[in-house]
Amino acid sequence: GGAGDPLGAWLTVMAGRYGVAFDEELTTGQFTVDQLPEAFRLETGIACLPMRYGVYNGVSVVPRWLWEAPVRPRVGFTLGLSAVERLAGYSVSVVEILKALAGLEVEVVAALPGAAGIREQLGAVGDRVRVEEFVPLAALAPTCAVMVHHGGFGTIGTTSLHAVPQLAIAEEIDAPILARGLAAYGAGVDLPVAEATGERVAHEVGRLLTESSFADGARRLRADMRAMPSAADVVPELVRIAERHRGR
């Protein structure tokens, strides 16, 4: 609408303070370090440097109940924090989905803000669903048979390293792209938010639990992620790239 290029105008001023002229390279960078395999990437024309994903949950306490093996197949459930902290909330009915999952022969562990209120709404099925404000994903993912989530980068990275089939209900930022990458690997299901009813989510989780192709895809994804160079291995290449671009 005639607004021009506000990002370009801002970067022109900021870069100019350091004697640097603005060009598009300031918005895209000279290369990208990517911690997920090629199936998750967009075709941008920018050089990509692969690096193995590193799991980090921050300082957290692993609850004692998580030390014990689940009696039934465990389904992890998380929709992240961004939708609650920065936006208007989740676009799906959390309670409806959890009630539907409780009807399967599984144990559900949900990490969701407002856990106490959600537990109250679950009513009679509450004993089949554990709802907590926070559960460290690095400890939860290895115990799960399926993970249901919002398609966040950290959630996909951590879950994929444990070869767990995934159901991504993706809506925000890069999540839809990452969810398509999961589906391309055969490691999970990309379910549009508009279709994420309780009944549909339970149906797709049932498929993820019983169709061996998803477990096979999850193992392929884990193998490809483990084959990526470690952060330590990438350092020498970062030095070479920096020397190549020095003074540009």
Side-chain angles (χ1 to χ4, degrees):
D5 183 2
L7 178 60
W10 178 72
L11 285 174
T12 297
V13 174
M14 299 300 292
R17 297 177 183 176
Y18 302 95
V20 176
F22 170 75
D23 62 23
E24 289 301 321
E25 193 174 78
L26 286 178
T27 67
T28 63
Q30 294 162 335
F31 66 99
T32 294
V33 176
D34 200 323
Q35 297 181 75
L36 292 175
E38 188 174 354
F40 293 87
R41 299 174 195 157
L42 290 173
E43 291 294 335
T44 63
I46 301 170
C48 181
L49 182 61
M51 185 178 80
R52 188 185 314 145
Y53 178 78
V55 176
Y56 180 66
N57 276 165
V59 178
S60 54
V61 175
V62 178
R64 186 168 295 276
W65 58 264
L66 196 47
W67 298 3
E68 302 172 0
V71 177
R72 295 185 296 274
R74 178 173 285 164
V75 175
F77 185 90
T78 176
L79 297 177
L81 297 175
S82 297
V84 174
E85 293 179 346
R86 303 175 192 174
L87 302 173
Y90 299 130
S91 298
V92 297
S93 172
V94 169
V95 173
E96 176 191 345
I97 291 173
L98 293 180
K99 284 184 175 180
L101 291 176
L104 303 176
E105 288 300 316
V106 299
E107 170 194 305
V108 182
V109 175
L112 295 163
I118 293 171
R119 284 194 292 267
E120 289 182 5
Q121 294 179 65
L122 287 174
V125 302
D127 61 340
R128 299 290 297 274
V129 181
R130 181 185 290 273
V131 186
E132 304 286 346
E133 289 283 340
F134 172 79
V135 181
L137 187 63
L140 175 62
T143 73
C144 289
V146 170
M147 184 70 70
V148 180
H149 57 70
H150 57 301
F153 169 76
T155 304
I156 285 180
T158 300
T159 306
S160 297
L161 278 178
H162 295 288
V164 177
Q166 303 170 58
L167 172 60
I169 307 171
E171 181 179 31
E172 301 171 15
I173 316 174
D174 60 343
I177 298 166
L178 300 180
R180 289 196 292 271
L182 277 175
Y185 253 97
V189 173
D190 171 16
L191 180 62
V193 169
E195 300 176 22
T197 61
E199 182 180 4
R200 178 67 184 280
V201 170
H203 171 75
E204 298 298 344
V205 167
R207 291 182 59 216
L208 290 166
L209 287 168
T210 58
E211 296 182 19
S212 61
S213 62
F214 292 113
D216 294 340
R219 285 190 289 268
R220 285 194 301 272
L221 175 53
R222 177 179 61 184
D224 286 352
M225 290 182 68
R226 286 179 171 177
M228 296 170 75
S230 70
D233 292 335
V234 168
V235 169
E237 183 61 22
L238 289 175
V239 172
R240 285 192 287 271
I241 293 173
E243 289 295 332
R244 187 162 67 246
H245 290 287
R246 189 183 299 277
R248 287 185 57 184

